Amino acid sequence: MTAQSNSEPLQEVELLVTGVGELATPLGQEPLSGSSMGRLSVQKGIAVACDGGRFLAIGPEADLAGRFRGRETLDAGGGLAIPGLVDSHTHPVFLGTREGEFEQRVAGRSYVEIAAAGGGIRSSLEGVRASTELLLLEVLLPRLDRFLQLGTTTIEAKTGYGLTVADELKGLDVIAAANRSHAVELIPTCLGGHDVPPEFKGRAEEWIDVVCQELWPAAASKAAFADVFTESHVFGLEASRRLMESAREQGLGLRMHVDQLTSLGGAELAAELGAASADHLEHVSDHGIAALAERGVQPVLCPLVPLYLREAQEAPARRMIEAGCAPALSTDFNPGSCYCMSLFEVMTWAALRYGMSAAEALTGTTLNAACSLGLGHELGSVEVGKRADLVLTDLPNHTHLTYELGRNPVRRVIKGGVVAQ
């Protein structure tokens, strides 16, 4: 026995995790780019003590066993432990699915063609508009169960399928209700600039007036961010600038869908506005990448979306990393262009499509994703003092994160120091 165990009682903590074969995590509170994005702290034979919802101690199991006694003890079974995954771009508030559009794409129709024929975003409006808050919550909660089962402990959750002031606010209220009742933490984004509602067809400026004068002021107390879909068939550069500047005046953070389908210059606009994130970026220019890096705007990349849309163009992730950008990775879970909630799938496809290492992919789905939401000081890494969000897997090491495809490796999920899954 050690001297401490003879003379001092073990400190009681809420949760003690033992049997961690490997702990792999990025470190710090700031987003990582360049070679730093691939640098993880990798430790073997680790235990983790959690108390007060935070990581209290992390170290060799023999050391922690001599210092702590858990009111609850959890055996990791010798597998890999990683930070709780953070999905920084999702659209989870909707009713009904759009598998028919998937069949159309398989048959050769493009995203823009389907949208022009009344599909796409507009096809999801009826379900949200006709639904009560309670019904939307009832269909959202099982989706959050699935996110949690797949190791995701925090998601950025967008509205955007209501496109009236009342229905967008209803969507934000659904997100708030889910936050009160589910372990997954939701960061609310009002996507009032998702599309022009059909009743405003040919009168886009009038809808922009409604968003700027009515929606953003009402959403400011309910949402952390505002968002816009910047494409020529939806909101062009000047319309997007007006929407985002108005949202910023209301105190909302800015997230932007840019350069997804065309090289419109959305990345340059996101940099000009100092947005928190510029998302998609399959058609970003070199000038746009440089602008994002200079202004510290984080790319949020969605590697499953071009695959799902049958688009050949990939976001140039490697050029972004080398230019000094700190990309996050996301599912872009939504009913139309990516019906997938698994960040494990995203990590593998980021390796195959972007050439990311397993370490870079893990950073992109943890610390960098958390930083894009303004939460790098709280989430995204396993470090003393941060919130105790931890995923225990049956994988032997972190390189298996990208090596293995198509199976959920999660054993247990800890959110805020509580075993949630």
Short mmCIF file of all heavy atoms in Angstrom, two decimals, residues 2 10 63 114 128 138 153 165 179 223 242-243 276 320 322 344 380 410:
data_model
loop_
_atom_site.label_atom_id
_atom_site.label_comp_id
_atom_site.label_asym_id
_atom_site.label_seq_id
_atom_site.Cartn_x
_atom_site.Cartn_y
_atom_site.Cartn_z
N THR A 2 0.39 2.30 -0.61
CA THR A 2 1.12 3.56 -0.57
C THR A 2 0.92 4.24 0.75
O THR A 2 -0.02 3.94 1.52
CB THR A 2 0.62 4.48 -1.70
OG1 THR A 2 -0.74 4.84 -1.42
CG2 THR A 2 0.70 3.80 -3.05
N LEU A 10 -9.54 7.55 0.51
CA LEU A 10 -9.67 7.88 -0.90
C LEU A 10 -10.70 8.99 -1.09
O LEU A 10 -11.72 9.03 -0.43
CB LEU A 10 -10.11 6.65 -1.70
CG LEU A 10 -9.17 5.44 -1.69
CD1 LEU A 10 -9.79 4.30 -2.48
CD2 LEU A 10 -7.81 5.80 -2.24
N ASP A 63 -2.29 5.03 -10.45
CA ASP A 63 -2.21 6.27 -9.68
C ASP A 63 -3.59 6.71 -9.20
O ASP A 63 -3.80 7.00 -8.02
CB ASP A 63 -1.58 7.36 -10.54
CG ASP A 63 -1.53 8.70 -9.83
OD1 ASP A 63 -1.12 8.75 -8.66
OD2 ASP A 63 -1.94 9.71 -10.44
N ILE A 114 -34.11 19.34 -58.72
CA ILE A 114 -35.16 18.86 -57.82
C ILE A 114 -35.77 20.03 -57.06
O ILE A 114 -37.00 20.11 -56.90
CB ILE A 114 -34.58 17.81 -56.85
CG1 ILE A 114 -34.21 16.54 -57.63
CG2 ILE A 114 -35.57 17.48 -55.74
CD1 ILE A 114 -33.41 15.53 -56.83
N VAL A 128 -43.40 20.85 -41.11
CA VAL A 128 -43.10 21.69 -39.96
C VAL A 128 -44.24 22.66 -39.69
O VAL A 128 -44.67 22.86 -38.55
CB VAL A 128 -41.77 22.44 -40.16
CG1 VAL A 128 -41.57 23.51 -39.10
CG2 VAL A 128 -40.61 21.45 -40.15
N GLU A 138 -41.51 15.21 -30.36
CA GLU A 138 -41.63 13.76 -30.31
C GLU A 138 -40.80 13.07 -31.40
O GLU A 138 -40.28 11.97 -31.18
CB GLU A 138 -43.10 13.35 -30.46
CG GLU A 138 -43.93 13.63 -29.21
CD GLU A 138 -45.40 13.29 -29.41
OE1 GLU A 138 -45.80 13.00 -30.57
OE2 GLU A 138 -46.15 13.33 -28.42
N THR A 153 -22.26 14.02 -28.40
CA THR A 153 -22.80 14.57 -27.15
C THR A 153 -23.25 16.02 -27.29
O THR A 153 -23.96 16.53 -26.43
CB THR A 153 -21.74 14.48 -26.03
OG1 THR A 153 -20.52 15.10 -26.48
CG2 THR A 153 -21.46 13.03 -25.67
N VAL A 165 -42.17 33.50 -39.62
CA VAL A 165 -41.65 33.93 -38.32
C VAL A 165 -42.13 32.97 -37.23
O VAL A 165 -41.34 32.49 -36.41
CB VAL A 165 -42.07 35.38 -38.01
CG1 VAL A 165 -41.69 35.76 -36.58
CG2 VAL A 165 -41.44 36.35 -39.00
N ASN A 179 -33.42 20.46 -25.28
CA ASN A 179 -32.29 20.72 -24.39
C ASN A 179 -32.64 20.47 -22.94
O ASN A 179 -31.80 20.08 -22.14
CB ASN A 179 -31.80 22.16 -24.57
CG ASN A 179 -30.50 22.26 -25.32
OD1 ASN A 179 -29.70 21.33 -25.32
ND2 ASN A 179 -30.27 23.39 -25.97
N ALA A 223 -31.79 31.88 -29.91
CA ALA A 223 -30.76 31.25 -30.73
C ALA A 223 -29.39 31.82 -30.40
O ALA A 223 -29.26 32.97 -29.97
CB ALA A 223 -31.07 31.46 -32.21
N ARG A 242 -26.83 41.43 -46.35
CA ARG A 242 -27.86 42.15 -45.60
C ARG A 242 -28.43 41.30 -44.48
O ARG A 242 -28.60 41.78 -43.35
CB ARG A 242 -28.98 42.58 -46.55
CG ARG A 242 -30.05 43.41 -45.86
CD ARG A 242 -31.17 43.80 -46.79
NE ARG A 242 -32.26 44.38 -46.03
CZ ARG A 242 -33.52 44.38 -46.40
NH1 ARG A 242 -33.87 43.84 -47.57
NH2 ARG A 242 -34.46 44.91 -45.64
N LEU A 243 -28.72 40.04 -44.76
CA LEU A 243 -29.26 39.16 -43.74
C LEU A 243 -28.28 38.98 -42.58
O LEU A 243 -28.68 39.05 -41.40
CB LEU A 243 -29.58 37.79 -44.35
CG LEU A 243 -30.85 37.71 -45.20
CD1 LEU A 243 -30.86 36.45 -46.03
CD2 LEU A 243 -32.09 37.78 -44.32
N ALA A 276 -18.55 33.01 -37.62
CA ALA A 276 -17.95 31.95 -36.81
C ALA A 276 -17.56 30.77 -37.69
O ALA A 276 -16.55 30.10 -37.43
CB ALA A 276 -18.93 31.50 -35.73
N MET A 320 -6.93 23.87 -47.20
CA MET A 320 -7.37 24.71 -46.08
C MET A 320 -6.48 24.54 -44.87
O MET A 320 -6.07 25.52 -44.23
CB MET A 320 -8.82 24.36 -45.71
CG MET A 320 -9.85 24.68 -46.77
SD MET A 320 -11.50 24.20 -46.19
CE MET A 320 -12.38 24.22 -47.75
N GLU A 322 -3.38 23.47 -44.74
CA GLU A 322 -2.05 24.02 -45.02
C GLU A 322 -2.05 25.54 -45.06
O GLU A 322 -1.03 26.17 -44.78
CB GLU A 322 -1.53 23.44 -46.33
CG GLU A 322 -1.26 21.95 -46.26
CD GLU A 322 -0.93 21.33 -47.60
OE1 GLU A 322 -1.08 22.04 -48.64
OE2 GLU A 322 -0.54 20.14 -47.64
N PHE A 344 -18.71 8.95 -36.90
CA PHE A 344 -17.73 7.91 -37.23
C PHE A 344 -17.68 7.69 -38.75
O PHE A 344 -16.61 7.53 -39.33
CB PHE A 344 -18.07 6.60 -36.51
CG PHE A 344 -17.80 6.65 -35.03
CD1 PHE A 344 -18.82 6.88 -34.13
CD2 PHE A 344 -16.52 6.48 -34.55
CE1 PHE A 344 -18.58 6.93 -32.77
CE2 PHE A 344 -16.24 6.54 -33.19
CZ PHE A 344 -17.29 6.77 -32.29
N GLY A 380 -14.66 19.39 -26.29
CA GLY A 380 -13.80 19.04 -27.41
C GLY A 380 -12.50 18.35 -27.07
O GLY A 380 -11.78 17.93 -27.98
N VAL A 410 -19.34 2.28 -30.36
CA VAL A 410 -19.53 2.91 -29.05
C VAL A 410 -20.02 1.89 -28.02
O VAL A 410 -21.00 1.16 -28.26
CB VAL A 410 -20.53 4.07 -29.15
CG1 VAL A 410 -20.85 4.63 -27.77
CG2 VAL A 410 -19.97 5.17 -30.05
#
